[in-house]
Amino acid sequence: MFDLYVVTDRDLSKGRSDAEVARMAYEGGADVVQLRMKNADGREMLEQACLIRECADEMCKLFIVNDRVDIAIASGADGVHLGQSDIPLDTARRLMGDDAIIGISVDNVDQAIAAEEGGADYVGVGAVFRTGTKPDAMQGVGLGAVYEVRQAVDIPVVAIGGINRGNIQDVIRAGADAAAVVSAVVAQDDVRGAAHELRDLILKVRPHIPPEYL
Amino acid sequence: MFDLYVVTDRDLSKGRSDAEVARMAYEGGADVVQLRMKNADGREMLEQACLIRECADEMCKLFIVNDRVDIAIASGADGVHLGQSDIPLDTARRLMGDDAIIGISVDNVDQAIAAEEGGADYVGVGAVFRTGTKPDAMQGVGLGAVYEVRQAVDIPVVAIGGINRGNIQDVIRAGADAAAVVSAVVAQDDVRGAAHELRDLILKVRPHIPPEYL
């Protein structure tokens, strides 16, 4: 399983490329990087994807491509992340095969159940909090939605949207298996340090068996 | 071979869907329709693609998807059309297989030769004339470029960009094997009639052997 999931956003990355940010995020402790390049040209996105694939291989990390199944396949990504208005899950599965990791964005329990029944490998629930990254998601779905989705499905639940050092432990306590962040990592001067801190915060609140009982 | 190649553009289609326009264009005599939906969501584009695929099958026409190799594969399109900043030709070929038709946009002879050597099935040369559809292509490459590309490669040459009833015969005379149009068909009240007229104009200037010599 993964703990910290970082989604790229070039507009927030202070002139650094998606691949540069991805490398620093992995080094800091991100388990997964999702390459999200809305409205980018295919060639440029594929180039970034191939760079991140190489880096993820070196570091034994996971690499996911947002939306573009063709670029996911061409770059050898571990999987694809799909929103509700992207290519449908069953189509992506047919193109990518059974081994691919396919994640689906959901904002409620019904969508989460549909995703699980459709064969999704994880769901991304959000936006949990209000976020500047997705201005159309004005009102966050809240921690309650994370809790409800966690109860409703067996596949991993990744919380996303407005998550930062101040609230990341709350989303884990609400039941998220992992937290996905955008600006809290990619927009920081110290990407590596930000990823490291966020991952530490997650691990500190994970349910665990106290060592004295082992 | 194909004569009239129609490229969709929802913004110019007067409220009609890409699939509706495609059907009328095929009925009017278009040999190929290319679904171009820049910035559309994957799901919506795939829906339109599947509708056009069905229609093309009924009418024994060709169907090409712009840019999105995943949607081309998922919809069973005959091929994909790629610009210079889309996924590279060799990558698309690897994903789509040898039978797929892959067309490449070029604006000069060097690009055309590279496309042919890379295994492209046709090149789209343009924009030939100034066009409102692609405002960044301010200055057309002109009929001279069509002629030069036709001399330089053996694969079919499709001229595109600012082509209408007034100049379509010129581009054929300049050596284009086919003419691709956008607004001259999709923006017309009578899509069917416009396609029919343009195809007639092409056929009238095709080199042909006069019947008395047959």
Side-chain angles (χ1 to χ4, degrees):
Chain A
M1 247 309 287
F2 39 91
D3 299 302
L4 183 65
Y5 183 123
V6 172
V7 181
T8 70
D9 187 325
R10 186 166 36 172
D11 292 343
L12 300 174
S13 297
K14 307 190 169 197
R16 300 166 295 201
S17 72
D18 295 83
E20 285 168 336
V21 167
R23 172 173 289 277
M24 293 186 284
Y26 283 138
E27 287 170 354
D31 306 288
V32 187
V33 168
Q34 178 194 128
L35 175 65
R36 184 162 71 189
M37 294 179 82
K38 287 294 183 196
N39 304 324
D41 287 328
R43 185 163 308 193
E44 192 179 12
M45 187 169 177
L46 180 61
E47 283 165 5
Q48 293 296 310
C50 290
L51 290 170
I52 301 177
R53 170 71 283 170
E54 226 174 283
C55 177
D57 277 345
E58 272 174 43
M59 305 179 67
C60 297
K61 305 280 190 173
L62 289 173
F63 169 49
I64 302 282
V65 168
N66 182 274
D67 174 24
R68 292 281 304 245
V69 173
D70 45 3
I71 289 170
I73 298 171
S75 64
D78 297 297
V80 71
H81 186 87
L82 301 169
Q84 295 288 325
S85 61
D86 292 332
I87 285 185
L89 172 54
D90 57 343
T91 306
R93 179 65 72 196
R94 182 159 58 79
L95 297 181
M96 297 197 69
D98 288 342
D99 291 342
I101 298 172
I102 304 185
I104 302 290
S105 292
V106 304
D107 58 21
N108 60 54
V109 165
D110 288 348
Q111 288 178 353
I113 292 171
E116 180 172 50
E117 288 178 352
D121 296 290
Y122 72 89
V123 288
V125 185
V128 178
F129 305 110
R130 283 182 67 151
T131 161
T133 315
K134 289 210 164 184
D136 47 329
M138 288 302 287
Q139 183 92 30
V141 297
L143 293 172
V146 175
Y147 176 81
E148 287 168 16
V149 168
R150 176 61 292 167
Q151 303 303 307
V153 298
D154 291 320
I155 54 178
V157 173
V158 182
I160 186 167
I163 298 173
N164 55 43
R165 59 198 286 187
N167 58 29
I168 195 164
Q169 294 188 316
D170 296 332
V171 303
I172 300 298
R173 288 197 194 96
D177 298 289
V181 293
V182 191
S183 56
V185 167
V186 309
Q188 306 308 308
D189 288 328
D190 181 5
V191 166
R192 212 175 273 107
H196 192 265
E197 181 187 10
L198 290 168
R199 183 155 183 273
D200 268 1
L201 288 167
I202 293 173
L203 295 183
K204 276 185 189 147
V205 290
R206 278 238 171 283
H208 67 288
I209 302 171
E212 60 268 30
Y213 288 89
L214 287 176
Chain B
M1 250 305 290
F2 39 91
D3 299 301
L4 182 65
Y5 183 123
V6 171
V7 181
T8 69
D9 187 327
R10 188 166 36 173
D11 293 342
L12 300 174
S13 297
K14 307 190 169 199
R16 300 165 297 200
S17 72
D18 294 83
E20 284 168 337
V21 167
R23 172 174 289 277
M24 293 186 285
Y26 283 139
E27 287 170 354
D31 305 289
V32 187
V33 168
Q34 178 194 127
L35 176 65
R36 183 163 69 189
M37 294 179 80
K38 287 294 182 196
N39 304 324
D41 288 328
R43 187 163 306 193
E44 193 180 13
M45 188 169 176
L46 180 61
E47 282 165 4
Q48 293 296 308
C50 290
L51 290 170
I52 301 176
R53 171 71 282 171
E54 226 174 282
C55 178
D57 278 344
E58 272 174 42
M59 304 179 69
C60 298
K61 304 280 190 174
L62 289 172
F63 169 49
I64 303 281
V65 168
N66 181 273
D67 174 25
R68 292 282 303 244
V69 173
D70 45 3
I71 289 171
I73 298 170
S75 65
D78 297 296
V80 71
H81 186 87
L82 301 169
Q84 294 288 325
S85 61
D86 292 332
I87 286 183
L89 173 54
D90 57 343
T91 306
R93 179 66 72 197
R94 182 159 57 79
L95 298 181
M96 297 196 70
D98 288 341
D99 291 342
I101 297 171
I102 304 185
I104 303 289
S105 292
V106 304
D107 58 23
N108 60 54
V109 165
D110 288 347
Q111 289 178 352
I113 291 171
E116 180 172 49
E117 288 178 352
D121 297 289
Y122 72 90
V123 288
V125 186
V128 178
F129 306 110
R130 285 182 64 152
T131 161
T133 315
K134 289 211 165 183
D136 47 329
M138 288 302 286
Q139 183 93 28
V141 296
L143 293 173
V146 174
Y147 176 81
E148 286 167 16
V149 168
R150 176 63 290 167
Q151 302 303 309
V153 299
D154 291 322
I155 54 178
V157 173
V158 182
I160 187 166
I163 298 174
N164 55 42
R165 58 197 286 184
N167 58 28
I168 195 164
Q169 294 188 317
D170 296 332
V171 303
I172 300 298
R173 287 196 194 96
D177 299 289
V181 293
V182 191
S183 57
V185 166
V186 310
Q188 306 307 307
D189 289 327
D190 181 6
V191 167
R192 213 176 274 108
H196 192 265
E197 182 188 10
L198 291 168
R199 183 155 185 273
D200 268 2
L201 286 167
I202 292 172
L203 296 183
K204 276 184 191 146
V205 289
R206 277 239 172 284
H208 68 288
I209 302 169
E212 60 269 29
Y213 288 88
L214 287 176

